[in-house]
PDB file of all heavy atoms in Angstrom:
ATOM      1  N   GLY A 223     -33.397  15.561   6.954  1.00 97.00           N
ATOM      2  CA  GLY A 223     -34.545  14.828   6.430  1.00 97.00           C
ATOM      3  C   GLY A 223     -34.892  13.636   7.311  1.00 97.00           C
ATOM      4  O   GLY A 223     -34.260  13.400   8.336  1.00 97.00           O
ATOM      5  N   PRO A 224     -35.879  12.867   6.871  1.00 97.00           N
ATOM      6  CA  PRO A 224     -36.408  11.802   7.728  1.00 97.00           C
ATOM      7  C   PRO A 224     -35.617  10.499   7.715  1.00 97.00           C
ATOM      8  O   PRO A 224     -35.982   9.576   8.435  1.00 97.00           O
ATOM      9  CB  PRO A 224     -37.813  11.587   7.171  1.00 97.00           C
ATOM     10  CG  PRO A 224     -37.770  12.086   5.772  1.00 97.00           C
ATOM     11  CD  PRO A 224     -36.692  13.106   5.666  1.00 97.00           C
ATOM     12  N   GLY A 225     -34.579  10.387   6.925  1.00 96.00           N
ATOM     13  CA  GLY A 225     -33.792   9.154   7.036  1.00 96.00           C
ATOM     14  C   GLY A 225     -33.183   8.664   5.743  1.00 96.00           C
ATOM     15  O   GLY A 225     -32.016   8.285   5.707  1.00 96.00           O
ATOM     16  N   LEU A 249     -32.180  11.071  15.867  1.00 92.00           N
ATOM     17  CA  LEU A 249     -33.073  11.026  14.708  1.00 92.00           C
ATOM     18  C   LEU A 249     -32.335  10.934  13.381  1.00 92.00           C
ATOM     19  O   LEU A 249     -32.907  10.550  12.380  1.00 92.00           O
ATOM     20  CB  LEU A 249     -33.940  12.284  14.677  1.00 92.00           C
ATOM     21  CG  LEU A 249     -35.297  12.235  15.362  1.00 92.00           C
ATOM     22  CD1 LEU A 249     -36.037  13.525  15.064  1.00 92.00           C
ATOM     23  CD2 LEU A 249     -36.127  11.038  14.933  1.00 92.00           C
ATOM     24  N   LYS A 299     -29.536  17.727  12.153  1.00 95.00           N
ATOM     25  CA  LYS A 299     -30.781  17.400  12.848  1.00 95.00           C
ATOM     26  C   LYS A 299     -31.715  16.620  11.941  1.00 95.00           C
ATOM     27  O   LYS A 299     -31.726  16.818  10.733  1.00 95.00           O
ATOM     28  CB  LYS A 299     -31.473  18.687  13.288  1.00 95.00           C
ATOM     29  CG  LYS A 299     -30.639  19.496  14.247  1.00 95.00           C
ATOM     30  CD  LYS A 299     -31.315  20.788  14.613  1.00 95.00           C
ATOM     31  CE  LYS A 299     -32.264  20.594  15.758  1.00 95.00           C
ATOM     32  NZ  LYS A 299     -31.609  20.451  17.054  1.00 95.00           N
ATOM     33  N   GLY A 300     -32.511  15.767  12.536  1.00 96.00           N
ATOM     34  CA  GLY A 300     -33.486  15.010  11.746  1.00 96.00           C
ATOM     35  C   GLY A 300     -34.529  15.950  11.162  1.00 96.00           C
ATOM     36  O   GLY A 300     -34.857  16.978  11.757  1.00 96.00           O
ATOM     37  N   GLY A 301     -35.019  15.629   9.990  1.00 97.00           N
ATOM     38  CA  GLY A 301     -36.093  16.414   9.381  1.00 97.00           C
ATOM     39  C   GLY A 301     -35.661  17.825   9.069  1.00 97.00           C
ATOM     40  O   GLY A 301     -34.607  18.058   8.498  1.00 97.00           O
ATOM     41  N   ASP A 302     -36.479  18.780   9.471  1.00 97.00           N
ATOM     42  CA  ASP A 302     -36.178  20.191   9.274  1.00 97.00           C
ATOM     43  C   ASP A 302     -35.803  20.798  10.622  1.00 97.00           C
ATOM     44  O   ASP A 302     -36.465  20.519  11.625  1.00 97.00           O
ATOM     45  CB  ASP A 302     -37.405  20.909   8.698  1.00 97.00           C
ATOM     46  CG  ASP A 302     -37.114  22.371   8.459  1.00 97.00           C
ATOM     47  OD1 ASP A 302     -37.288  23.184   9.397  1.00 97.00           O
ATOM     48  OD2 ASP A 302     -36.696  22.704   7.340  1.00 97.00           O
ATOM     49  N   PRO A 303     -34.752  21.641  10.657  1.00 96.00           N
ATOM     50  CA  PRO A 303     -34.291  22.143  11.958  1.00 96.00           C
ATOM     51  C   PRO A 303     -35.318  23.033  12.665  1.00 96.00           C
ATOM     52  O   PRO A 303     -35.284  23.176  13.881  1.00 96.00           O
ATOM     53  CB  PRO A 303     -33.043  22.963  11.619  1.00 96.00           C
ATOM     54  CG  PRO A 303     -32.741  22.730  10.193  1.00 96.00           C
ATOM     55  CD  PRO A 303     -33.920  22.092   9.546  1.00 96.00           C
ATOM     56  N   PHE A 304     -36.205  23.639  11.878  1.00 95.00           N
ATOM     57  CA  PHE A 304     -37.139  24.591  12.477  1.00 95.00           C
ATOM     58  C   PHE A 304     -38.508  23.979  12.756  1.00 95.00           C
ATOM     59  O   PHE A 304     -39.440  24.672  13.129  1.00 95.00           O
ATOM     60  CB  PHE A 304     -37.294  25.821  11.580  1.00 95.00           C
ATOM     61  CG  PHE A 304     -36.148  26.797  11.687  1.00 95.00           C
ATOM     62  CD1 PHE A 304     -36.095  27.925  10.879  1.00 95.00           C
ATOM     63  CD2 PHE A 304     -35.116  26.592  12.601  1.00 95.00           C
ATOM     64  CE1 PHE A 304     -35.047  28.833  10.977  1.00 95.00           C
ATOM     65  CE2 PHE A 304     -34.058  27.492  12.701  1.00 95.00           C
ATOM     66  CZ  PHE A 304     -34.027  28.607  11.892  1.00 95.00           C
ATOM     67  N   ILE A 305     -38.657  22.685  12.522  1.00 96.00           N
ATOM     68  CA  ILE A 305     -39.949  22.071  12.841  1.00 96.00           C
ATOM     69  C   ILE A 305     -39.745  21.104  13.997  1.00 96.00           C
ATOM     70  O   ILE A 305     -39.111  20.061  13.832  1.00 96.00           O
ATOM     71  CB  ILE A 305     -40.555  21.381  11.604  1.00 96.00           C
ATOM     72  CG1 ILE A 305     -40.834  22.456  10.540  1.00 96.00           C
ATOM     73  CG2 ILE A 305     -41.833  20.629  11.976  1.00 96.00           C
ATOM     74  CD1 ILE A 305     -41.516  21.971   9.301  1.00 96.00           C
ATOM     75  N   PHE A 306     -40.229  21.477  15.145  1.00 93.00           N
ATOM     76  CA  PHE A 306     -40.049  20.700  16.384  1.00 93.00           C
ATOM     77  C   PHE A 306     -38.592  20.258  16.557  1.00 93.00           C
ATOM     78  O   PHE A 306     -38.332  19.159  17.032  1.00 93.00           O
ATOM     79  CB  PHE A 306     -40.987  19.490  16.413  1.00 93.00           C
ATOM     80  CG  PHE A 306     -42.422  19.859  16.197  1.00 93.00           C
ATOM     81  CD1 PHE A 306     -43.180  19.238  15.221  1.00 93.00           C
ATOM     82  CD2 PHE A 306     -43.002  20.853  16.970  1.00 93.00           C
ATOM     83  CE1 PHE A 306     -44.509  19.600  15.022  1.00 93.00           C
ATOM     84  CE2 PHE A 306     -44.329  21.225  16.776  1.00 93.00           C
ATOM     85  CZ  PHE A 306     -45.078  20.597  15.791  1.00 93.00           C
ATOM     86  N   GLY A 307     -37.688  21.118  16.161  1.00 89.00           N
ATOM     87  CA  GLY A 307     -36.275  20.725  16.215  1.00 89.00           C
ATOM     88  C   GLY A 307     -35.466  21.552  17.192  1.00 89.00           C
ATOM     89  O   GLY A 307     -34.284  21.318  17.357  1.00 89.00           O
ATOM     90  N   ARG A 308     -36.072  22.539  17.786  1.00 87.00           N
ATOM     91  CA  ARG A 308     -35.393  23.438  18.711  1.00 87.00           C
ATOM     92  C   ARG A 308     -34.208  24.152  18.064  1.00 87.00           C
ATOM     93  O   ARG A 308     -33.299  24.629  18.741  1.00 87.00           O
ATOM     94  CB  ARG A 308     -34.968  22.686  19.985  1.00 87.00           C
ATOM     95  CG  ARG A 308     -36.171  22.007  20.617  1.00 87.00           C
ATOM     96  CD  ARG A 308     -35.875  21.427  21.977  1.00 87.00           C
ATOM     97  NE  ARG A 308     -35.721  22.450  23.003  1.00 87.00           N
ATOM     98  CZ  ARG A 308     -35.651  22.174  24.307  1.00 87.00           C
ATOM     99  NH1 ARG A 308     -35.726  20.924  24.724  1.00 87.00           N
ATOM    100  NH2 ARG A 308     -35.504  23.123  25.194  1.00 87.00           N
ATOM    101  N   GLY A 328     -34.580  21.061   5.768  1.00 97.00           N
ATOM    102  CA  GLY A 328     -34.611  19.643   5.401  1.00 97.00           C
ATOM    103  C   GLY A 328     -36.044  19.219   5.176  1.00 97.00           C
ATOM    104  O   GLY A 328     -36.981  19.966   5.480  1.00 97.00           O
ATOM    105  N   ILE A 329     -36.214  18.052   4.646  1.00 98.00           N
ATOM    106  CA  ILE A 329     -37.574  17.534   4.464  1.00 98.00           C
ATOM    107  C   ILE A 329     -38.084  17.082   5.822  1.00 98.00           C
ATOM    108  O   ILE A 329     -37.478  16.222   6.466  1.00 98.00           O
ATOM    109  CB  ILE A 329     -37.570  16.377   3.456  1.00 98.00           C
ATOM    110  CG1 ILE A 329     -37.238  16.938   2.083  1.00 98.00           C
ATOM    111  CG2 ILE A 329     -38.912  15.647   3.466  1.00 98.00           C
ATOM    112  CD1 ILE A 329     -37.376  15.965   0.956  1.00 98.00           C
ATOM    113  N   THR A 330     -39.140  17.696   6.273  1.00 98.00           N
ATOM    114  CA  THR A 330     -39.658  17.359   7.589  1.00 98.00           C
ATOM    115  C   THR A 330     -40.354  15.994   7.541  1.00 98.00           C
ATOM    116  O   THR A 330     -40.800  15.544   6.475  1.00 98.00           O
ATOM    117  CB  THR A 330     -40.600  18.466   8.095  1.00 98.00           C
ATOM    118  OG1 THR A 330     -40.923  18.195   9.448  1.00 98.00           O
ATOM    119  CG2 THR A 330     -41.878  18.532   7.267  1.00 98.00           C
ATOM    120  N   ALA A 331     -40.411  15.333   8.709  1.00 98.00           N
ATOM    121  CA  ALA A 331     -40.975  13.983   8.766  1.00 98.00           C
ATOM    122  C   ALA A 331     -42.339  13.911   8.077  1.00 98.00           C
ATOM    123  O   ALA A 331     -42.613  12.977   7.321  1.00 98.00           O
ATOM    124  CB  ALA A 331     -41.078  13.526  10.213  1.00 98.00           C
ATOM    125  N   ALA A 332     -43.189  14.904   8.319  1.00 98.00           N
ATOM    126  CA  ALA A 332     -44.536  14.853   7.740  1.00 98.00           C
ATOM    127  C   ALA A 332     -44.474  14.735   6.221  1.00 98.00           C
ATOM    128  O   ALA A 332     -45.165  13.904   5.622  1.00 98.00           O
ATOM    129  CB  ALA A 332     -45.323  16.095   8.143  1.00 98.00           C
ATOM    130  N   VAL A 335     -42.702  11.245   5.191  1.00 95.00           N
ATOM    131  CA  VAL A 335     -43.565  10.112   5.513  1.00 95.00           C
ATOM    132  C   VAL A 335     -44.775  10.096   4.588  1.00 95.00           C
ATOM    133  O   VAL A 335     -45.169   9.055   4.063  1.00 95.00           O
ATOM    134  CB  VAL A 335     -44.013  10.213   6.988  1.00 95.00           C
ATOM    135  CG1 VAL A 335     -45.245   9.373   7.242  1.00 95.00           C
ATOM    136  CG2 VAL A 335     -42.868   9.805   7.898  1.00 95.00           C
ATOM    137  N   VAL A 380     -49.204  14.388  13.879  1.00 97.00           N
ATOM    138  CA  VAL A 380     -48.710  14.492  15.247  1.00 97.00           C
ATOM    139  C   VAL A 380     -47.294  13.947  15.331  1.00 97.00           C
ATOM    140  O   VAL A 380     -47.033  12.778  15.045  1.00 97.00           O
ATOM    141  CB  VAL A 380     -49.608  13.714  16.232  1.00 97.00           C
ATOM    142  CG1 VAL A 380     -49.174  14.001  17.671  1.00 97.00           C
ATOM    143  CG2 VAL A 380     -51.072  14.069  16.022  1.00 97.00           C
ATOM    144  N   TYR A 381     -46.352  14.832  15.681  1.00 96.00           N
ATOM    145  CA  TYR A 381     -44.967  14.438  15.933  1.00 96.00           C
ATOM    146  C   TYR A 381     -44.872  14.011  17.399  1.00 96.00           C
ATOM    147  O   TYR A 381     -45.542  14.574  18.262  1.00 96.00           O
ATOM    148  CB  TYR A 381     -44.016  15.621  15.715  1.00 96.00           C
ATOM    149  CG  TYR A 381     -43.796  16.026  14.268  1.00 96.00           C
ATOM    150  CD1 TYR A 381     -44.817  16.592  13.513  1.00 96.00           C
ATOM    151  CD2 TYR A 381     -42.550  15.863  13.671  1.00 96.00           C
ATOM    152  CE1 TYR A 381     -44.596  16.976  12.189  1.00 96.00           C
ATOM    153  CE2 TYR A 381     -42.317  16.258  12.357  1.00 96.00           C
ATOM    154  CZ  TYR A 381     -43.350  16.809  11.623  1.00 96.00           C
ATOM    155  OH  TYR A 381     -43.128  17.192  10.328  1.00 96.00           O
ATOM    156  N   MET A 382     -44.003  13.076  17.669  1.00 94.00           N
ATOM    157  CA  MET A 382     -43.740  12.633  19.046  1.00 94.00           C
ATOM    158  C   MET A 382     -45.032  12.228  19.761  1.00 94.00           C
ATOM    159  O   MET A 382     -45.221  12.537  20.938  1.00 94.00           O
ATOM    160  CB  MET A 382     -43.040  13.761  19.838  1.00 94.00           C
ATOM    161  CG  MET A 382     -41.671  14.080  19.283  1.00 94.00           C
ATOM    162  SD  MET A 382     -40.900  15.511  20.052  1.00 94.00           S
ATOM    163  CE  MET A 382     -41.597  16.839  19.089  1.00 94.00           C
ATOM    164  N   GLY A 383     -45.897  11.538  19.061  1.00 94.00           N
ATOM    165  CA  GLY A 383     -47.222  11.305  19.626  1.00 94.00           C
ATOM    166  C   GLY A 383     -47.510   9.894  20.091  1.00 94.00           C
ATOM    167  O   GLY A 383     -48.557   9.651  20.706  1.00 94.00           O
ATOM    168  N   LEU A 384     -46.624   8.953  19.817  1.00 94.00           N
ATOM    169  CA  LEU A 384     -46.969   7.553  20.051  1.00 94.00           C
ATOM    170  C   LEU A 384     -47.352   7.277  21.504  1.00 94.00           C
ATOM    171  O   LEU A 384     -48.336   6.592  21.776  1.00 94.00           O
ATOM    172  CB  LEU A 384     -45.805   6.645  19.628  1.00 94.00           C
ATOM    173  CG  LEU A 384     -46.133   5.151  19.687  1.00 94.00           C
ATOM    174  CD1 LEU A 384     -47.259   4.803  18.730  1.00 94.00           C
ATOM    175  CD2 LEU A 384     -44.898   4.322  19.369  1.00 94.00           C
ATOM    176  N   VAL A 408     -46.947   5.794  11.184  1.00 97.00           N
ATOM    177  CA  VAL A 408     -45.862   5.379  10.287  1.00 97.00           C
ATOM    178  C   VAL A 408     -44.575   5.311  11.093  1.00 97.00           C
ATOM    179  O   VAL A 408     -44.143   6.301  11.683  1.00 97.00           O
ATOM    180  CB  VAL A 408     -45.690   6.362   9.112  1.00 97.00           C
ATOM    181  CG1 VAL A 408     -44.609   5.860   8.167  1.00 97.00           C
ATOM    182  CG2 VAL A 408     -47.011   6.545   8.379  1.00 97.00           C
ATOM    183  N   GLN A 409     -44.013   4.135  11.121  1.00 97.00           N
ATOM    184  CA  GLN A 409     -42.747   3.953  11.844  1.00 97.00           C
ATOM    185  C   GLN A 409     -41.598   4.090  10.849  1.00 97.00           C
ATOM    186  O   GLN A 409     -41.702   3.654   9.703  1.00 97.00           O
ATOM    187  CB  GLN A 409     -42.748   2.567  12.514  1.00 97.00           C
ATOM    188  CG  GLN A 409     -41.589   1.699  12.124  1.00 97.00           C
ATOM    189  CD  GLN A 409     -41.543   0.317  12.713  1.00 97.00           C
ATOM    190  OE1 GLN A 409     -42.291  -0.058  13.602  1.00 97.00           O
ATOM    191  NE2 GLN A 409     -40.611  -0.456  12.197  1.00 97.00           N
ATOM    192  N   HIS A 410     -40.479   4.710  11.292  1.00 97.00           N
ATOM    193  CA  HIS A 410     -39.245   4.807  10.480  1.00 97.00           C
ATOM    194  C   HIS A 410     -39.536   5.245   9.045  1.00 97.00           C
ATOM    195  O   HIS A 410     -39.048   4.632   8.095  1.00 97.00           O
ATOM    196  CB  HIS A 410     -38.514   3.452  10.423  1.00 97.00           C
ATOM    197  CG  HIS A 410     -38.099   2.956  11.763  1.00 97.00           C
ATOM    198  ND1 HIS A 410     -37.438   1.766  11.930  1.00 97.00           N
ATOM    199  CD2 HIS A 410     -38.240   3.469  12.999  1.00 97.00           C
ATOM    200  CE1 HIS A 410     -37.200   1.560  13.224  1.00 97.00           C
ATOM    201  NE2 HIS A 410     -37.678   2.589  13.888  1.00 97.00           N
ATOM    202  N   GLY A 411     -40.316   6.311   8.904  1.00 96.00           N
ATOM    203  CA  GLY A 411     -40.701   6.774   7.569  1.00 96.00           C
ATOM    204  C   GLY A 411     -39.500   6.993   6.667  1.00 96.00           C
ATOM    205  O   GLY A 411     -38.466   7.489   7.111  1.00 96.00           O
ATOM    206  N   THR A 412     -39.623   6.610   5.412  1.00 96.00           N
ATOM    207  CA  THR A 412     -38.622   6.732   4.330  1.00 96.00           C
ATOM    208  C   THR A 412     -37.428   5.793   4.492  1.00 96.00           C
ATOM    209  O   THR A 412     -36.532   5.792   3.664  1.00 96.00           O
ATOM    210  CB  THR A 412     -38.062   8.172   4.129  1.00 96.00           C
ATOM    211  OG1 THR A 412     -37.056   8.432   5.118  1.00 96.00           O
ATOM    212  CG2 THR A 412     -39.136   9.227   4.193  1.00 96.00           C
ATOM    213  N   GLN A 413     -37.400   5.029   5.558  1.00 96.00           N
ATOM    214  CA  GLN A 413     -36.252   4.139   5.780  1.00 96.00           C
ATOM    215  C   GLN A 413     -36.627   2.696   5.411  1.00 96.00           C
ATOM    216  O   GLN A 413     -37.803   2.366   5.311  1.00 96.00           O
ATOM    217  CB  GLN A 413     -35.812   4.234   7.240  1.00 96.00           C
ATOM    218  CG  GLN A 413     -35.406   5.663   7.599  1.00 96.00           C
ATOM    219  CD  GLN A 413     -35.066   5.861   9.060  1.00 96.00           C
ATOM    220  OE1 GLN A 413     -34.822   4.895   9.782  1.00 96.00           O
ATOM    221  NE2 GLN A 413     -35.047   7.109   9.485  1.00 96.00           N
ATOM    222  N   ALA A 437     -40.059   3.643  17.533  1.00 93.00           N
ATOM    223  CA  ALA A 437     -39.764   5.065  17.312  1.00 93.00           C
ATOM    224  C   ALA A 437     -38.628   5.200  16.282  1.00 93.00           C
ATOM    225  O   ALA A 437     -37.787   4.311  16.214  1.00 93.00           O
ATOM    226  CB  ALA A 437     -39.338   5.713  18.633  1.00 93.00           C
ATOM    227  N   PRO A 438     -38.595   6.289  15.531  1.00 95.00           N
ATOM    228  CA  PRO A 438     -39.587   7.357  15.532  1.00 95.00           C
ATOM    229  C   PRO A 438     -40.830   6.995  14.715  1.00 95.00           C
ATOM    230  O   PRO A 438     -40.743   6.325  13.708  1.00 95.00           O
ATOM    231  CB  PRO A 438     -38.849   8.514  14.867  1.00 95.00           C
ATOM    232  CG  PRO A 438     -37.875   7.875  13.946  1.00 95.00           C
ATOM    233  CD  PRO A 438     -37.481   6.576  14.599  1.00 95.00           C
ATOM    234  N   THR A 439     -41.951   7.476  15.210  1.00 97.00           N
ATOM    235  CA  THR A 439     -43.202   7.266  14.485  1.00 97.00           C
ATOM    236  C   THR A 439     -43.929   8.580  14.326  1.00 97.00           C
ATOM    237  O   THR A 439     -43.775   9.489  15.135  1.00 97.00           O
ATOM    238  CB  THR A 439     -44.155   6.333  15.256  1.00 97.00           C
ATOM    239  OG1 THR A 439     -44.418   6.918  16.532  1.00 97.00           O
ATOM    240  CG2 THR A 439     -43.593   4.943  15.433  1.00 97.00           C
ATOM    241  N   LEU A 440     -44.718   8.648  13.283  1.00 98.00           N
ATOM    242  CA  LEU A 440     -45.497   9.841  13.018  1.00 98.00           C
ATOM    243  C   LEU A 440     -46.956   9.407  12.909  1.00 98.00           C
ATOM    244  O   LEU A 440     -47.251   8.351  12.355  1.00 98.00           O
ATOM    245  CB  LEU A 440     -45.038  10.437  11.687  1.00 98.00           C
ATOM    246  CG  LEU A 440     -45.435  11.870  11.430  1.00 98.00           C
ATOM    247  CD1 LEU A 440     -44.571  12.803  12.273  1.00 98.00           C
ATOM    248  CD2 LEU A 440     -45.256  12.212   9.965  1.00 98.00           C
ATOM    249  N   ILE A 441     -47.851  10.234  13.447  1.00 98.00           N
ATOM    250  CA  ILE A 441     -49.272   9.890  13.403  1.00 98.00           C
ATOM    251  C   ILE A 441     -49.978  10.841  12.433  1.00 98.00           C
ATOM    252  O   ILE A 441     -49.731  12.054  12.465  1.00 98.00           O
ATOM    253  CB  ILE A 441     -49.893  10.012  14.813  1.00 98.00           C
ATOM    254  CG1 ILE A 441     -49.182   9.038  15.758  1.00 98.00           C
ATOM    255  CG2 ILE A 441     -51.397   9.741  14.768  1.00 98.00           C
ATOM    256  CD1 ILE A 441     -49.588   9.201  17.213  1.00 98.00           C
TER     257      ILE A 441
HETATM  258  N1  SAH B 501     -37.266  18.246  13.118  1.00 66.40           N
HETATM  259  C1  SAH B 501     -37.898  16.968  12.870  1.00 66.40           C
HETATM  260  C2  SAH B 501     -38.839  16.574  13.977  1.00 66.40           C
HETATM  261  C3  SAH B 501     -38.191  16.382  15.310  1.00 66.40           C
HETATM  262  S1  SAH B 501     -39.330  15.851  16.531  1.00 66.40           S
HETATM  263  C4  SAH B 501     -38.618  17.009  11.527  1.00 66.40           C
HETATM  264  O1  SAH B 501     -38.762  18.085  10.926  1.00 66.40           O
HETATM  265  O2  SAH B 501     -39.014  15.933  11.062  1.00 66.40           O
HETATM  266  C5  SAH B 501     -39.126  14.113  16.492  1.00 66.40           C
HETATM  267  C6  SAH B 501     -40.341  13.445  15.911  1.00 66.40           C
HETATM  268  O3  SAH B 501     -40.344  13.541  14.493  1.00 66.40           O
HETATM  269  C7  SAH B 501     -40.410  11.963  16.175  1.00 66.40           C
HETATM  270  O4  SAH B 501     -40.888  11.697  17.463  1.00 66.40           O
HETATM  271  C8  SAH B 501     -41.364  11.523  15.112  1.00 66.40           C
HETATM  272  O5  SAH B 501     -42.690  11.818  15.470  1.00 66.40           O
HETATM  273  C9  SAH B 501     -41.002  12.424  13.969  1.00 66.40           C
HETATM  274  N2  SAH B 501     -40.107  11.764  13.007  1.00 66.40           N
HETATM  275  C10 SAH B 501     -38.879  12.153  12.636  1.00 66.40           C
HETATM  276  N3  SAH B 501     -38.347  11.325  11.706  1.00 66.40           N
HETATM  277  C11 SAH B 501     -39.277  10.397  11.456  1.00 66.40           C
HETATM  278  C12 SAH B 501     -39.350   9.272  10.593  1.00 66.40           C
HETATM  279  N4  SAH B 501     -38.339   8.941   9.811  1.00 66.40           N
HETATM  280  N5  SAH B 501     -40.471   8.522  10.620  1.00 66.40           N
HETATM  281  C13 SAH B 501     -41.504   8.851  11.425  1.00 66.40           C
HETATM  282  N6  SAH B 501     -41.484   9.898  12.243  1.00 66.40           N
HETATM  283  C14 SAH B 501     -40.388  10.670  12.276  1.00 66.40           C
END
Side-chain angles (χ1 to χ4, degrees):
L249 268 187
K299 299 177 86 75
D302 181 273
F304 282 176
I305 297 184
F306 306 127
R308 305 189 72 170
I329 292 188
T330 188
V335 161
V380 188
Y381 287 68
M382 295 173 275
L384 187 62
V408 183
Q409 124 182 350
H410 300 180
T412 80
Q413 300 175 17
T439 59
L440 197 75
I441 299 172

